[in-house]
Amino acid sequence: MKNIVILATGGTIAGISESITDTASYHPAILPIQEIIHGIDGPLNQIARISSEQIAQIDSAEMTHQIWFTLANRINTLLADPSVDGIVVTHGTDTLEETAYFLNLVVKSSKPVVVVGAMRPASALSSDGPINLYNAVILAASEEASGKGVLITLNNAINSSRDATKTNTSLQDSFKAPELGYLGYIIDGRPHFYREPTRKHTYMSEFTVDGLTELPLVEIIYGHVDNRSTLAQAAVATGAKGLVYAGLGNGNMSTAMRTAFEEIQNQGVIVVRSTRVSNGVVTRNGAINDDLSNFIVSDTLNPQKASILLALALIKTNDTAEIQRMFWEY
Ligand code: GLU
């Protein structure tokens, strides 16, 4: 039997409401992981030997880089142990995709790592937490999940942590890679994979959390009509080493914003063009001449994931060609 370790961080999967009919008003991060597991002991014990650790007990809005380092180091230590076969991380859904993508870049193992959450609290009628956790353990204990990077499962779907995002504030069918699609499904205790990630991750990654005590500050600036550069300049003045622009369309921007970002780039702060649009590639040298402005494009990474890759990249280099290579590869 496989040995699976569940690392808990809180979120709705550990949430409780006053009424069983509440699915949006509730207190997240209340139940300890032992209690969540206890409700589905029977089915879980059929799949694997389970152990668990409470890494944090937070609403995922409170997630921090320090908790990421603790989590990633713990996962690396556990997976280096030949007796551990896979990891499940329970997490609030609000920032789940970010934690999952960070782990996708710094976990040093091809063993399965699955991040799971729930859209309904544990106390709700038809709570999705138990089935999601059960599916996560199935996935973490499966051979098929090996070498596919950090995975996300909710609502019976298997997603790549690179591509999936939270697409709905409250429905169970929230985590999707809108046009790129699910990697597969988990049905009746069996994962069905139909595709796999093509970008570098986990055991192939050049990034490490070893000895890391902080990440360079990267801020996200949102694009809109009549954008002012004030927020971008304030971010730099308060120590940002990188900016991600959630740009218009193909990462586009007004002349005023381009001029402001060029000045920022000339001060040695790295600027990545991402997009506020939920699908598609941000391409180099479209309406914006990136070669001239020395900008980086995010490829298909959304702004919040681009900010994570940029922060890890900035630990290694300030060379824009090298950082652009990383954005094509991860
Ligand atoms: N806002 C809470 C969090 O992110 C609950 C969201 C959820 O888990 O669905 O932890």
Side-chain angles (χ1 to χ4, degrees):
M1 208 176 231
K2 298 272 178 100
N3 289 307
I4 303 300
V5 182
I6 302 177
L7 302 177
T9 70
T12 299
I13 196 164
I16 294 290
S17 54
E18 266 85 61
S19 156
I20 61 166
T21 55
D22 286 344
T23 56
S25 316
Y26 58 89
H27 309 284
I30 304 289
L31 293 182
I33 186 62
Q34 287 83 359
E35 243 179 272
I36 302 174
I37 293 171
H38 188 61
I40 50 170
D41 259 349
L44 287 187
N45 291 336
Q46 304 281 311
I47 313 163
R49 265 189 295 272
I50 308 287
S51 57
S52 65
E53 297 172 22
Q54 193 80 44
I55 299 288
Q57 185 64 300
I58 53 170
D59 181 318
S60 75
E62 309 295 340
M63 186 49 71
T64 63
H65 296 160
Q66 294 306 320
I67 302 175
W68 278 359
F69 304 154
T70 305
L71 189 59
N73 282 318
R74 188 68 190 127
I75 292 173
N76 283 332
T77 303
L78 285 164
L79 292 182
D81 178 343
S83 74
V84 177
D85 298 297
I87 303 287
V88 170
V89 177
T90 65
H91 202 289
T93 56
D94 288 350
T95 62
L96 186 151
E97 66 190 81
E98 284 153 85
T99 298
Y101 185 56
F102 177 74
L103 295 175
N104 193 54
L105 296 174
V106 299
V107 164
K108 297 289 170 210
S109 173
S110 60
K111 293 178 187 174
V113 177
V114 181
V115 186
V116 64
M119 294 299 290
R120 293 177 179 170
S123 53
L125 273 179
S126 302
S127 167
D128 55 336
I131 184 75
N132 289 350
L133 181 58
Y134 172 73
N135 283 336
V137 172
I138 297 271
L139 202 52
S142 74
E143 294 301 328
E144 297 98 307
S146 290
K148 294 198 170 61
V150 174
L151 300 173
I152 296 173
T153 184
L154 279 90
N155 204 39
N156 293 77
I158 306 169
N159 270 298
S160 150
S161 57
R162 180 188 184 278
D163 302 326
T165 189
K166 187 174 188 178
T167 65
N168 191 290
T169 55
S170 31
L171 300 188
Q172 287 174 88
D173 187 19
S174 182
F175 279 80
K176 293 179 185 180
E179 287 181 349
L180 298 178
Y182 298 135
L183 300 182
Y185 308 101
I186 307 166
I187 309 290
D188 286 352
R190 230 195 93 206
H192 301 254
F193 276 94
Y194 300 92
R195 56 186 109 250
E196 57 186 26
T198 57
R199 298 309 181 89
K200 283 186 179 172
H201 56 73
T202 56
Y203 67 95
M204 299 174 249
S205 171
E206 65 202 86
F207 304 108
T208 177
V209 79
D210 235 10
L212 202 59
T213 54
E214 63 179 343
L215 286 176
L217 181 62
V218 174
E219 295 284 5
I220 298 170
I221 306 294
Y222 203 88
H224 59 89
V225 167
D226 209 7
N227 239 170
R228 303 296 154 101
S229 53
T230 336
L231 293 180
Q233 281 148 355
V236 174
T238 51
K241 300 287 179 274
L243 295 183
V244 173
Y245 187 53
L248 317 170
N250 187 8
N252 291 322
M253 58 188 77
S254 64
T255 311
M257 284 306 281
R258 182 171 49 75
T259 307
F261 281 132
E262 281 171 351
E263 278 165 19
I264 284 168
Q265 174 70 40
N266 285 337
Q267 293 168 44
V269 175
I270 302 296
V271 178
V272 173
R273 293 193 301 114
S274 180
T275 176
R276 64 180 196 171
V277 178
S278 50
N279 291 291
V281 183
V282 176
T283 58
R284 265 193 89 79
N285 300 326
I288 308 284
N289 188 329
D290 295 292
D291 292 344
L292 216 61
S293 300
N294 210 15
F295 296 154
I296 289 154
V297 293
S298 72
D299 191 359
T300 61
L301 287 182
N302 67 22
Q304 56 272 33
K305 291 190 191 179
S307 74
I308 295 167
L309 181 55
L310 178 56
L312 285 169
L314 284 170
I315 294 169
K316 298 180 95 71
T317 181
N318 273 313
D319 183 281
T320 49
E322 181 62 356
I323 298 175
Q324 183 64 74
R325 172 196 63 81
M326 294 166 179
F327 273 85
W328 294 137
E329 288 184 5
Y330 291 86

